[in-house]
Amino acid sequence: MTTPPHAQEELDLIAQTVDRVSTADAAVLAELRTEVLGRKAGKLTLILRSLGSLPPEQRRLLGARANQIKQALETAIAERERVLQDDTRRTVDVDGTMPARHAWRGARHPVLAVVDEICEIFKELGFTRVSGPEAETEDYNFTKLNMPLDHPAADEHDTFYLGPGALLRTHTSPVQARVMEQYQPPIRIVVPGRVYRRDAFDPSHSPVFEQIEGLAVDEGISFVDFKAGIDYFVKRFFSPDTVVRFRPSFFPFTEPSAEVDVQCQMCKGSGCATCKQTGYLEIMGAGMVHPAVFENCGIDPERYTGYAFGMGPDRITMLRHGIPDIRLLFENDMRFLSQFVS
Ligand code: PHE
């Protein structure tokens, strides 16, 4: 059985045009359509028209192939037309006058920026930055720090308990004990981290907040070194003319203990709402490490002395930027945070 060779070849060529359809633009598509399917002179039309003059067997084979190609081509053209039309519609939808979408830029949270800055200042004094666990034991959070569990100071901490003997640390001081157990002096560390207390949210309280613990232990460290270290920090962080005040206080793990105030940055000491008319703002609790703490942690209190402090970077951040409510630091409201993108 033979078919006219030219008709066979012609059909093979036409079959290939189906592949070209999927990438054709509107003009090429129209061309293809006329060239192949045109009613008068389309290549496929002509072949179909000539079928009548062929012997029945050839007509059947060739006709089937030709019709198959015709259908494939028509489907492909219709599909391509749909895609091209969609594309056109999409182009038309673009509104060139629409303002561009805001490109968000990230930044460090203001409190973490302050934490980094404080740690860098203490680095100048030889302090290493370390961290400790937020889930602690009663032993580290209280007992080793000379704070028996029935001591009122332990009560005041309003602890979140995780289970018997396990809690969320109420301060960063337990890291003092962890470090002293592991290393012999000289020790100089700063420990930033989160602490937890069962306080309700209000403008100056949050159940989770940031602390930075400091600890310096060596032979011959005196109260003068303590005051000088704190004074250096305050003047570096705030300004060289900032007035610092040490007030006697009590912590079970330091003796003597002090609270450190800086002159109010808002009113420069004349009294305002921020400092509640006192002219000063408390920035940390501190003191000379209690000998009992040294003993609990395996450090010889006869040989070594040291000082420790715990400050609140949230408060300090609020002071620096004039932020009136601590809750702003936790809400992650972009209108607030975006003010700290530099
Ligand atoms: N841990 C104390 C607190 O959270 C602060 C402090 C630290 C006081 C170190 C003295 C020495 O209140």
Side-chain angles (χ1 to χ4, degrees), residues 26-277:
V28 173
L29 212 56
E31 242 168 61
L32 273 176
R33 199 204 309 267
T34 323
E35 185 187 322
V36 182
L37 300 171
R39 213 180 294 167
K40 281 187 194 151
K43 287 177 186 161
L44 200 55
T45 316
L46 292 179
I47 289 175
L48 284 165
R49 211 173 278 161
S50 69
L51 289 177
S53 59
L54 294 173
E57 183 65 4
Q58 285 181 7
R59 186 195 310 159
R60 203 172 59 76
L61 283 172
L62 217 55
R65 176 105 203 279
N67 274 316
Q68 203 185 356
I69 293 171
K70 187 178 178 196
Q71 209 160 45
L73 201 56
E74 278 171 347
T75 314
I77 289 175
E79 168 63 17
R80 184 64 189 157
E81 274 176 338
R82 205 181 52 72
V83 170
L84 287 175
Q85 206 165 34
D86 266 11
D87 281 356
T88 323
R89 208 170 294 143
R90 213 167 293 141
T91 323
V92 169
D93 276 352
V94 171
D95 174 0
T97 67
M98 192 169 87
R101 280 179 63 182
H102 186 69
W104 294 104
R105 267 186 59 210
R108 286 185 83 53
H109 189 282
V111 173
L112 292 187
V114 162
V115 166
D116 282 351
E117 196 179 327
I118 293 173
C119 290
E120 281 302 307
I121 293 173
F122 279 101
K123 192 172 161 189
E124 295 166 11
L125 295 174
F127 287 69
T128 305
R129 180 174 179 161
V130 300
S131 63
E134 290 180 20
E136 264 296 3
T137 61
E138 277 179 339
D139 214 29
Y140 279 103
N141 197 79
F142 296 122
T143 321
K144 282 180 201 276
L145 297 171
N146 197 32
M147 207 193 277
L149 295 176
D150 55 4
H151 191 285
D155 268 13
E156 279 164 26
H157 276 218
D158 292 323
T159 313
F160 280 116
Y161 271 88
L162 299 170
L167 46 79
L168 290 174
R169 66 179 177 193
T170 58
H171 51 176
T172 42
S173 300
V175 189
Q176 283 191 36
R178 289 185 175 276
V179 169
M180 284 193 282
E181 277 182 352
Q182 245 190 316
Y183 302 95
Q184 281 297 307
I187 294 169
R188 274 182 183 74
I189 50 157
V190 276
V191 191
R194 287 191 164 167
V195 302
Y196 302 83
R197 289 187 199 175
R198 282 165 35 132
D199 279 330
F201 267 115
D202 73 25
S204 55
H205 292 90
S206 158
V208 50
F209 56 99
E210 203 77 23
Q211 273 196 343
I212 300 178
E213 193 80 8
L215 176 69
V217 184
D218 204 347
E219 281 180 18
I221 289 190
S222 69
F223 201 80
V224 172
D225 297 305
F226 162 55
K227 286 186 77 174
I230 301 302
D231 196 63
Y232 177 84
F233 159 70
V234 169
K235 295 197 155 103
R236 273 283 279 111
F237 184 84
F238 293 101
S239 64
D241 59 351
T242 305
V243 180
V244 192
R245 182 171 85 172
F246 291 74
R247 255 185 310 110
S249 185
F250 174 80
F251 298 101
F253 32 92
T254 46
E255 179 59 35
S257 301
E259 271 165 324
V260 179
D261 299 340
V262 295
Q263 204 168 57
C264 179
Q265 300 292 294
M266 309 289 170
C267 63
K268 292 286 167 208
S270 62
C272 67
T274 303
C275 61
K276 301 203 175 81
Q277 310 307 325

Side-chain angles (χ1 to χ4, degrees), residues 276-294:
K276 301 203 175 81
Q277 310 307 325
T278 63
Y280 283 89
L281 285 155
E282 184 201 322
I283 57 159
M284 66 173 90
M288 301 302 289
V289 180
H290 197 295
V293 176
F294 281 145

Side-chain angles (χ1 to χ4, degrees), residues 288-334:
M288 301 302 289
V289 180
H290 197 295
V293 176
F294 281 145
E295 233 151 59
N296 293 342
C297 302
I299 286 180
D300 182 2
E302 297 296 331
R303 181 169 172 200
Y304 295 108
T305 49
Y307 63 86
F309 56 85
M311 61 177 121
D314 304 283
R315 289 268 312 270
I316 295 174
T317 304
M318 291 165 71
L319 254 179
R320 165 166 285 185
H321 296 294
I323 298 164
D325 192 320
I326 195 171
R327 290 171 288 194
L328 285 163
L329 301 177
F330 298 94
E331 284 166 351
N332 288 335
D333 186 328
M334 291 303 292

